[in-house]
Amino acid sequence: MIATILMFAAAGLAAGFLAGLLGIGGGLVVVPLLYFWFSNDPVAAPYAMHLALGSSLAFIVLNSGIAAWSHAKLDGVRWAEARLLAPGLALGSLAGAALADGLPGDVLVRYFGGFLLVMAALMAFRAPRPAPAGRSRHSAWIGIPIGVVAALAGVGGGVMVVPWLFSRGYRAAEVVATSSVCTVVVALVGVAGYLLFADPVPLPGVIGYVHWQAVLGISVTALFAAQFGVRLAHRVDQRLLRRAFAVLLVVVGLRLVMG
């Protein structure tokens, strides 16, 4: 019991810090952890992946919500871009939750891993463009595929929103802040989908595909760690932040491609 609590606390620290620093929701840490935990419970094992995905998105709502609020207070969010992305992100996230039972997860994971490797290469070697003068019509629809993949992978979509915003020419701190807001949209709608489309799970503390005890346990430390990530995001060199995020994408992408 104590080991489980310590494991959740450590995962919450890592996920919260990454959410504040890089604008991601922390699902890259939380999903594997919860999947391992549920897989070792005889009752939860048949629903292990669905519970991991749904619970991860519920955690991301709390985790990225705090990060987004902190970024907003520092006036880092580019609200015009967030409003353009939000409808597509919401629609895609709901569709992804609905499709979660029908698509082969291993194929999706490998394609997603390859996508991360491409994004990492673009971020590491491509010089940023000047900040855009006006709105991009592409932002209105790019959120749909991002939302679908994010909901199916149990992540908030920051790993895809961040490279997209960098390609639009925004500063690193603006990218992280805006991505945090977009992550909340994806996770909130995704959770609704995992509650709406779920089969009954005979476990205490579970509603739909969300294990609320696990969500709250991880969130306790993550909420504190997110504040430190936010402060560092507004101080660190932009090129260093881009390269650090590219390294993270390479590590995760290779892991997903290799299964």
Side-chain angles (χ1 to χ4, degrees), residues 2 13 17 36 53 128 153 179 247:
I2 295 178
L13 288 173
F17 183 75
F36 174 79
L53 297 175
S179 174
V247 170

Side-chain angles (χ1 to χ4, degrees), residues 172-245:
E174 295 174 331
V175 167
V176 173
T178 307
S179 174
S180 295
V181 174
C182 294
T183 295
V184 174
V185 174
V186 171
L188 188 61
V189 178
V191 168
Y194 276 98
L195 294 174
L196 178 64
F197 304 117
D199 295 327
V201 180
L203 282 173
V206 173
I207 301 175
Y209 285 136
V210 179
H211 195 298
W212 291 104
Q213 294 174 356
V215 172
L216 295 176
I218 295 175
S219 297
V220 170
T221 53
L223 295 178
F224 292 100
Q227 304 297 319
F228 296 99
V230 168
R231 294 191 183 98
L232 184 59
H234 286 265
R235 297 176 182 175
V236 72
D237 179 76
Q238 292 189 36
R239 289 174 297 177
L240 177 62
L241 186 58
R242 286 171 61 90
R243 290 168 183 168
F245 192 75

